[in-house]
């Protein structure tokens, strides 16, 4: 479950506090920016006190299901930054390819078995590719070499694309004060593509 799921409810709370945008920002910080449970619980308490919402029933109910939306409780699970709604939508798309509402029970289980076999086969192919295929490194940089060792071919390819984009950034000084310089960064090719 994702905090975005609750966003409409948060908007319904706007009568309780004077700055709803600030509260939503504080709630998001609370949900995503803490690594330890104690730190998270302290931040939650501080947020409620800041907005004088310690007795709010909706927030008390939200706290009861914190394991479903607070990142601190999900930090040991690898999700590739995919939120639960994305997992759900992805699963729905997979199921639509294999199943129809008109299937009887026997047909359903035949297609279910086919789905499992196809998934297992894809996983075996991915495992084989990872063990016996080396991706082409665009540069012999320690970070890319490490990523090549630990990521699957597909994930490494995505990582390497993002990594190479970093080299295209151009920083231009736009102003300077006594101790601080301000820069604007952009990718020149992106500016050309967007015009």
């Amino acid at each position: 479950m994702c905090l975005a799921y609750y966003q409409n409810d948060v908007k319904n709370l706007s009568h309780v506090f004077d700055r709803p945008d600030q509260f939503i920002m504080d709630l998001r910080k609370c949900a995503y920016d803490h690594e330890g449970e104690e730190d998270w619980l302290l931040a939650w308490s501080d947020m409620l006190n800041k907005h004088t919402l310690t007795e709010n029933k909706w927030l008390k109910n939200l706290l009861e299901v914190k394991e479903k939306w607070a990142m601190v409780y999900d930090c040991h699970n690898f999700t590739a930054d995919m939120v639960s709604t994305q997992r759900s939508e992805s699963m729905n798309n997979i199921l639509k390819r294999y199943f129809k509402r008109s299937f009887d029970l026997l047909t359903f289980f035949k297609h279910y078995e086919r789905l499992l076999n196809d998934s297992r086969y894809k996983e075996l192919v991915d495992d084989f590719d990872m063990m016996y295929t080396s991706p082409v490194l665009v540069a012999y940089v320690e970070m890319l070499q490490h990523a090549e060792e630990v990521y699957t071919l597909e994930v490494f390819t995505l990582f390497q694309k993002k990594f190479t984009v970093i080299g295209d950034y151009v920083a231009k000084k736009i102003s300077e004060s006594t101790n601080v310089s301000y820069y604007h960064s952009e990718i020149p090719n992106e500016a050309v593509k967007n015009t």
Side-chain angles (χ1 to χ4, degrees), residues 143-161:
M143 185 182 288
L144 285 179
Q145 290 172 336
H146 175 71
E148 176 192 23
E149 292 172 10
V150 296
Y151 291 150
T152 63
L153 183 61
E154 188 176 349
V155 172
F156 172 77
T157 304
L158 291 170
F159 177 81
Q160 184 170 240
K161 283 180 186 175

Side-chain angles (χ1 to χ4, degrees), residues 1-10 27-28 31-32 58 62 65-71 74 81-87:
M1 193 173 299
C2 171
L3 194 57
Y5 176 80
Y6 296 109
Q7 202 158 8
N8 288 335
D9 293 323
V10 172
L27 183 61
R28 281 190 184 134
Y32 301 117
W58 183 81
L62 187 63
V65 293
K66 62 187 176 285
E67 291 83 6
K68 293 184 178 184
W69 60 267
M71 294 299 285
D74 201 30
D81 285 338
M82 183 183 289
V83 294
S84 60
T85 53
Q86 289 171 315
R87 284 191 297 263

Side-chain angles (χ1 to χ4, degrees), residues 110-146:
K110 284 181 182 177
H111 283 266
Y112 180 72
E113 190 172 342
R114 195 178 99 214
L115 166 67
L116 291 177
N117 287 336
D118 289 352
S119 297
R120 288 180 186 130
Y121 179 75
K122 184 182 181 324
E123 189 173 340
L124 284 172
V125 169
D126 289 345
D127 287 346
F128 179 85
D129 287 346
M130 191 171 86
M131 286 189 270
Y132 299 107
T133 308
S134 294
V136 178
L137 293 174
V138 294
Y140 288 95
V141 178
E142 188 174 340
M143 185 182 288
L144 285 179
Q145 290 172 336
H146 175 71

